[in-house]
């Protein structure tokens, strides 16, 4: 397992997404067969989806994200902070396919979790900014401005020293 994981990381570092996809497919199968714990299974599932998305295999990436999300929801619950990144990435897939309604709904799920769970501020800022851009592309400018403002406010909060 570790050798496959190392191969995948090397392929990713070389932006060899086809090789990364191949290795992640083998990892997902090995993990599904019980070689590794569930949490690792989900990470490989999402890495496979990322490799597919990098190759613009968006329909396949969507399927892999959905499988991984379902696994995390089953194991950790619907509000698991581990779902923020996969929902974010899935929303990007939808956005790239110009499926704005689905992208907005999926970004909304990520925001809902991010607002309630312990998620890094930088992650939340990126989420708000991407959500804002997608809302803008869908013609929902007022909502887009709201998320752009939220991102800016959070960025200012983490960049300015606390005053007492």
């Amino acid at each position: 397992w570790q050798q496959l994981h190392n191969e995948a990381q090397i392929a990713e570092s070389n932006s060899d997404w086809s090789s990364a996809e191949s290795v992640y497919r083998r990892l997902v199968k090995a993990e599904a067969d019980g070689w590794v714990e569930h949490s690792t299974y989900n990470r490989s599932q999402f890495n496979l989806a990322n490799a597919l998305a990098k190759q613009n295999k968006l329909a396949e990436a969507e399927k892999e994200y959905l499988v991984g999300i379902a696994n995390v929801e089953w194991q950790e619950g619907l509000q698991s902070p581990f779902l923020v990144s996969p929902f974010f990435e899935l929303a990007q897939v939808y956005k790239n396919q110009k499926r704005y309604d689905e992208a907005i709904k999926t970004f909304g799920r990520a925001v809902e979790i991010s607002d309630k769970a312990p998620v890094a501020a930088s992650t939340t800022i990126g989420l708000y900014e991407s959500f804002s851009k997608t809302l803008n592309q869908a013609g929902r400018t007022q909502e887009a401005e709201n998320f752009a403002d939220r991102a800016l406010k959070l960025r200012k909060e983490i960049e300015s020293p606390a005053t007492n």
Side-chain angles (χ1 to χ4, degrees):
W1 180 87
Q2 189 60 47
Q3 182 180 348
L4 284 176
H5 184 70
N6 291 341
E7 284 180 40
Q9 287 186 324
I10 290 168
E12 281 188 12
S13 69
N14 293 322
S15 297
D16 182 356
W17 300 110
S18 179
S19 294
E21 173 193 348
S22 175
V23 175
Y24 282 125
R25 285 191 187 282
R26 289 185 296 178
L27 273 168
V28 167
K29 176 156 179 19
E31 293 164 357
D33 290 343
W35 292 98
V36 182
E37 295 177 24
H38 289 289
S39 61
T40 303
Y41 171 82
N42 295 321
R43 185 173 59 225
S44 293
Q45 191 82 46
F46 295 131
N47 287 339
L48 171 58
N50 290 339
L52 290 164
K54 293 282 188 181
Q55 297 174 81
N56 209 31
K57 297 179 178 180
L58 301 179
E60 289 179 74
E62 175 187 0
K63 177 185 165 279
E64 297 301 334
Y65 282 123
L66 290 171
V67 168
I69 288 167
N71 288 334
V72 172
E73 286 178 337
W74 177 75
Q75 294 166 22
E76 305 284 336
L78 297 174
Q79 296 297 315
S80 171
F82 298 113
L83 290 171
V84 173
S85 181
F87 276 127
F88 174 86
E89 296 298 336
L90 178 58
Q92 295 286 26
V93 166
Y94 291 144
K95 182 179 90 167
N96 291 338
Q97 293 173 316
K98 300 190 183 338
R99 293 165 57 188
Y100 297 117
D101 288 342
E102 288 161 293
I104 289 167
K105 179 180 174 188
T106 305
F107 272 125
R109 291 274 315 270
V111 166
E112 177 185 324
I113 295 167
S114 177
D115 287 349
K116 294 178 184 173
V119 177
S122 59
T123 300
T124 302
I125 291 168
L127 174 60
Y128 289 168
E129 290 172 342
S130 292
F131 195 13
S132 174
K133 289 175 187 174
T134 302
L135 287 163
N136 234 350
Q137 289 173 316
R140 294 168 62 172
T141 55
Q142 186 60 45
E143 291 170 277
E145 288 175 18
N146 177 34
F147 278 97
D149 290 344
R150 288 175 71 178
L152 183 60
K153 179 181 176 190
L154 185 54
R155 184 178 304 281
K156 286 180 180 177
E157 285 176 16
I158 64 171
E159 289 176 352
S160 64
T163 55
N164 291 330

